[in-house]
Amino acid sequence: MFAVAALIMFAAGPAFPQQPDAHAAVTVGTATATRGQVAYGVISIPAAMDSATSLPVAVVNGARPGPVVALVAGSHGTEYTSIVALTRIIGRLDPKTISGTVLVAPLLNVASFTQMIVHVNPIDGKGMNGQYPGDPAGTQTQRALAAVADQIVKQADVVVDLHGGDLDEDLHPYSYWFRGGQAGQDSASRALALAFGLDHIIVRDFDLSDAASRRNLGGYAMSLGKTVLVAEAGRSGTVEPEDLRLLMDGVLNVLGALRMIDRPVRPVAHPVWLDASTRLAADSAGMFFATVGRGPRRRRGGGGLHDGLPGTPDGRGALARRGGRHLHPRSAFHVEGRDARGDRTGAGGGADLPEARELGVSLPGRSAVAPSAARSLGGRHR
Ligand SMILES: [Zn+2]
């Protein structure tokens, strides 16, 4: 929208200095903010085939024109650090001094939050980061995401999607560099990842011609030409001050890098670029004991031990042995396993112990990343 506005101003030339301001008033749901104002409200999703929901939103409309940035969290409603970070960031943004507009949606998956259900919306069992562009005639998740797509994503130039290490994820903070193969877009996303400030950055490539890669928020927003940043800090149901600071400072750094606020930004000097397509799986179901912490120290061995299920003979085994940095060992105690044919037993893939293999390259640009980074990721972001 900003690019369009700039284009109109350029085309009109200096003979028409008073151009209409496309963002004189910005509305998301029930929140409308004029220039220099903050408005709070909700996106109401009426009941249909299942129950209604109401997503909290805020619009911080800067006094001066500039980019429109959407800040989104809580598609996983038990990733508390990200939800708290965006709730608190609203009060840290002074619309009188901002150039541009900030749309804030700190909690998409309200039922996950209120019922303490991980990963999915318990109303319909769907992942709220895996159903874009949504469906106005669908289930609650699909209806909600259709509204998020229309009212938030489409209005934005930049989409920041925050996550917070879920109840079962003992997570080391990292961000993602999402790449879709468009040089300008990829370069802008890379710059925001470096500005955000987390030194571990997972490189993830998307084939945006594949509908499956447009189902998560980042991929969907990229397919619309938006600049995307995804970052994650927090762990296991906690809201620790340091994790909170990382996310809040990261958001302010993004706004600083976009020159929407007056904030000097020092991009990460020595990023660790990671390919996180590797996850370790247990051989069988059982109880899991992590032998590595959340830190990114390099380990040659596996990431944990597991016993059988409660009440079975004590048969301790190791998870598959691989080297790498363990970005989030599983903190939940029970793991699913794989059956004799190697298929994962149970739903949800709980056996996985995510790790990230270091690419070992510094990236001046796209070509420096090993082809292995092009593999698509499974995992939590659905
Ligand atoms: Zn998440």
Side-chain angles (χ1 to χ4, degrees):
M1 294 302 241
F2 179 54
V4 171
L7 189 67
I8 291 168
M9 289 173 68
F10 177 76
F16 302 95
Q18 300 293 323
Q19 292 304 313
D21 178 2
H23 299 103
V26 175
T27 298
V28 177
T30 61
T32 296
T34 57
R35 288 271 177 223
Q37 282 190 332
V38 179
Y40 289 81
V42 294
I43 297 177
S44 293
I45 310 298
M49 68 175 69
D50 51 20
S51 57
T53 186
S54 181
L55 317 184
V57 293
V59 178
V60 183
N61 199 2
R64 293 184 298 277
V68 178
V69 174
L71 307 175
V72 179
S75 58
H76 303 131
T78 45
E79 297 187 0
Y80 301 123
T81 304
S82 56
I83 296 161
V84 173
L86 287 194
T87 299
R88 292 196 182 164
I89 206 78
I90 301 165
R92 293 277 301 275
L93 300 176
D94 177 5
K96 300 278 186 284
T97 64
I98 289 179
S99 299
T101 307
V102 185
L103 316 176
V104 190
L107 178 59
L108 299 192
N109 195 341
V110 176
S112 163
F113 178 82
T114 56
Q115 298 183 32
M116 291 183 287
I117 301 294
V118 294
H119 307 315
V120 299
N121 178 353
I123 302 301
D124 57 16
K126 291 181 167 32
M128 288 199 79
N129 194 24
Q131 295 284 326
Y132 286 93
D135 179 354
T139 64
Q140 186 190 88
T141 291
Q142 295 168 320
R143 298 196 308 279
L145 294 189
V148 171
D150 282 341
Q151 299 189 43
I152 296 176
V153 180
K154 288 178 182 173
Q155 286 209 77
D157 304 301
V158 176
V159 175
V160 176
D161 181 20
L162 294 187
H163 293 258
D166 220 319
L167 294 181
D168 59 342
E169 293 169 352
D170 189 12
L171 185 136
H172 181 79
Y174 55 78
S175 57
Y176 286 92
W177 177 24
F178 279 8
R179 303 187 304 187
Q182 300 290 329
Q185 186 183 38
D186 292 349
S187 160
S189 296
R190 179 177 182 275
L192 289 192
L194 292 172
F196 194 89
L198 301 178
D199 62 353
H200 283 67
I201 304 175
I202 297 173
V203 182
R204 183 172 173 184
D205 282 325
F206 288 82
D207 174 6
L208 295 174
S209 66
D210 177 0
S213 72
R214 305 192 299 265
R215 296 216 181 281
N216 73 92
L217 174 57
Y220 172 68
M222 286 170 69
S223 76
L224 299 180
K226 316 299 185 185
T227 303
V228 167
L229 175 78
V230 180
E232 178 144 23
R235 56 182 289 269
S236 309
T238 61
V239 181
E240 296 177 2
E242 176 61 10
D243 290 328
L244 198 54
R245 185 190 69 76
L246 290 173
L247 292 184
M248 293 180 69
D249 280 357
V251 167
L252 295 175
N253 288 340
V254 164
L255 300 181
L258 295 168
R259 302 189 185 271
M260 295 172 66
I261 61 173
D262 183 14
R263 178 181 174 91
V265 177
R266 282 190 301 171
V268 177
H270 302 289
V272 178
W273 302 96
L274 300 160
D275 165 12
S277 59
T278 305
R279 284 169 176 255
L280 299 183
D283 298 329
S284 58
M287 295 180 286
F288 175 69
F289 304 84
T291 56
V292 294
R294 67 193 284 234
R297 293 177 301 280
R298 290 181 67 78
R299 300 283 182 131
R300 285 211 57 76
L305 302 166
H306 65 94
D307 282 355
L309 290 166
T312 64
D314 177 21
R316 178 166 285 206
L319 290 178
R321 299 177 74 79
R322 297 222 184 104
R325 294 171 187 257
H326 299 272
L327 282 191
H328 55 109
R330 185 172 168 80
S331 56
F333 200 55
H334 170 252
V335 295
E336 309 290 343
R338 290 178 187 276
D339 66 19
R341 292 178 315 216
D343 294 324
R344 196 168 294 151
T345 58
D352 293 348
L353 176 74
E355 69 167 11
R357 185 165 55 78
E358 186 178 18
L359 290 171
V361 292
S362 59
L363 294 187
R366 179 180 173 75
S367 61
V369 175
S372 60
R375 279 177 291 170
S376 66
L377 287 177
R380 291 283 174 243
H381 292 280
R382 59 187 185 260

